[in-house]
Amino acid sequence: MSIIPTENGYRFEKYTRHDICVTLPDSVDGQPLKIIGTKAFLSCRNVERLVLPDTLERVEDWAFAHMKGLEEIVFPARDILFGKKVFLGCTSLRKIILSGAEDQYEGIPYFLASAATLMDDVPLKLSLAGDGDGQWRWLEEYDRLLEQFLARPDTYGFEPAFIGWFNVEDVDDQQEDYIREQKRKKVGLAFQRLLYSAGMTENMERKLREYLLGKRDAKIPPLILEQFKNSHSGYSGNVAYFKLWQKIGGFDIYPPEYLLEHLAEADPEVRAFLMESRLNMEGNSGFFEMLEL
């Protein structure tokens, strides 16, 4: 590891090892470690958990870019100056934990990670997310930006990659893939916020529910079904998503019987929930038919 002195402390310049869990020291030779340098962890794919020092003040451009294996990172709960594309390509990042944050709402680490990796240019302060009542102000701002993110066109930010010879069809294919990826991101963010719903207004809940049910975009429910069927998506093995799908009215689109038919390889807990839901729905139907008679 390369650490160099600066005027008032130290700067972490380059990580060169292959550890899975990495903890950076608060100080070197009695001086605080304040800066994570440009591209300091660029493409360090082995690191799954990274703990940063409480003395940290600045993270420079592309510091953690393309850390494909990074799942969890720990920051101090304080104001930190971030450069450009700090988390670019961190596709596995699930949680940003704030050290020293007491009584923090359980959803915030997931929202922090989503803001850093999915909503590209979200200007949210880490310190508020871990500071008592400040976390609820942070959540209000997060919801505002999430609403903007869901509403913006799926082509937003698209730039075709021209490599060698290309034609119009190549650009169209790139754009189609880009649009699908944007929709997947939005679905994931909407599900995540509804799963951790504390502090959310009724209006925001309604907008997220309508988005997932395809009232704004008819292509969303088929995409959700595709994600439910994909064993690598993280949806098919987590019954919480199916319970949420039922809660928001998704069974009116894809009922338990239909999902059971199309999710033959789903997690046993998921299938058990769907079977129980199907029986309950059939039981209620039979009960009301009996009343009509």
Side-chain angles (χ1 to χ4, degrees):
M1 293 189 288
S2 175
I3 302 176
I4 62 175
T6 62
E7 184 177 350
N8 298 313
Y10 276 84
R11 167 193 174 98
F12 188 90
E13 191 71 13
K14 186 66 179 176
Y15 182 75
T16 56
R17 299 175 61 176
H18 303 283
D19 300 302
I20 293 176
C21 298
V22 177
T23 300
L24 298 186
D26 286 349
S27 62
V28 179
D29 298 330
Q31 295 296 314
L33 180 59
K34 293 186 174 183
I35 302 170
I36 305 297
T38 300
K39 301 180 181 179
F41 286 86
L42 179 66
S43 297
C44 293
R45 303 190 176 204
N46 288 342
V47 180
E48 296 178 4
R49 187 173 194 269
L50 175 60
V51 181
L52 301 173
D54 290 338
T55 51
L56 186 65
E57 295 181 355
R58 188 164 83 241
V59 179
E60 296 183 345
D61 300 349
W62 302 290
F64 312 120
H66 301 295
M67 294 181 72
K68 299 294 185 182
L70 184 65
E71 299 176 1
E72 183 175 296
I73 187 167
V74 180
F75 278 96
R78 60 184 298 179
D79 287 340
I80 296 172
L81 181 63
F82 286 92
K84 298 180 297 184
K85 305 294 183 181
V86 169
F87 293 100
L88 178 68
C90 293
T91 52
S92 298
L93 186 63
R94 297 292 177 265
K95 296 172 72 176
I96 293 180
I97 297 170
L98 301 183
S99 62
E102 298 181 0
D103 299 324
Q104 186 183 70
Y105 175 53
E106 61 177 340
I108 283 182
Y110 299 99
F111 300 147
L112 281 167
S114 294
T117 58
L118 299 182
M119 296 190 290
D120 308 318
D121 48 4
V122 175
L124 294 175
K125 290 186 177 182
L126 293 182
S127 57
L128 277 179
D131 175 26
D133 292 338
Q135 65 179 317
W136 304 112
R137 297 197 302 275
W138 187 94
L139 273 174
E140 287 179 6
E141 178 68 2
Y142 177 81
D143 283 347
R144 184 182 69 82
L145 293 167
L146 174 57
E147 185 176 353
Q148 290 179 2
F149 184 81
L150 292 177
R152 77 186 189 186
D154 293 326
T155 54
Y156 180 89
F158 172 70
E159 294 181 1
F162 296 133
I163 303 176
W165 291 98
F166 62 91
N167 53 40
V168 174
E169 287 75 15
D170 294 331
V171 175
D172 290 344
D173 288 344
Q174 287 183 41
Q175 186 176 61
E176 184 177 343
D177 291 342
Y178 182 87
I179 289 172
R180 285 179 61 81
E181 182 58 29
Q182 293 305 303
K183 291 183 189 296
R184 277 193 287 265
K185 286 181 180 181
K186 292 176 179 181
V187 165
L189 288 167
F191 264 130
Q192 185 181 77
R193 187 63 180 106
L194 287 168
L195 284 173
Y196 299 99
S197 59
M200 185 169 56
T201 65
E202 290 183 5
N203 186 50
M204 184 64 178
E205 182 179 0
R206 176 183 59 79
K207 289 180 178 180
L208 295 177
R209 184 173 64 248
E210 288 179 352
Y211 182 81
L212 291 175
L213 293 178
K215 294 186 178 180
R216 302 184 191 180
D217 184 343
K219 294 182 179 180
I220 294 301
L223 181 63
I224 292 174
L225 179 62
E226 179 183 311
Q227 294 293 85
F228 281 166
K229 293 166 64 176
N230 182 358
S231 60
H232 301 292
S233 68
Y235 292 82
S236 65
N238 190 340
V239 71
Y241 289 107
F242 293 86
K243 290 181 177 179
L244 180 56
W245 184 243
Q246 177 192 40
K247 180 180 178 181
I248 67 174
F251 280 174
D252 292 338
I253 301 173
Y254 298 125
E257 183 175 358
Y258 182 89
L259 291 174
L260 281 166
E261 180 182 347
H262 288 80
L263 302 175
E265 304 300 323
D267 183 88
E269 186 180 7
V270 169
R271 290 189 60 81
F273 168 72
L274 292 174
M275 291 175 69
E276 181 181 1
S277 300
R278 183 186 67 181
L279 290 173
N280 289 337
M281 292 176 71
E282 289 176 350
N284 289 337
S285 175
F287 174 75
F288 287 116
E289 287 177 2
M290 181 182 69
L291 287 181
E292 290 179 2
L293 292 174

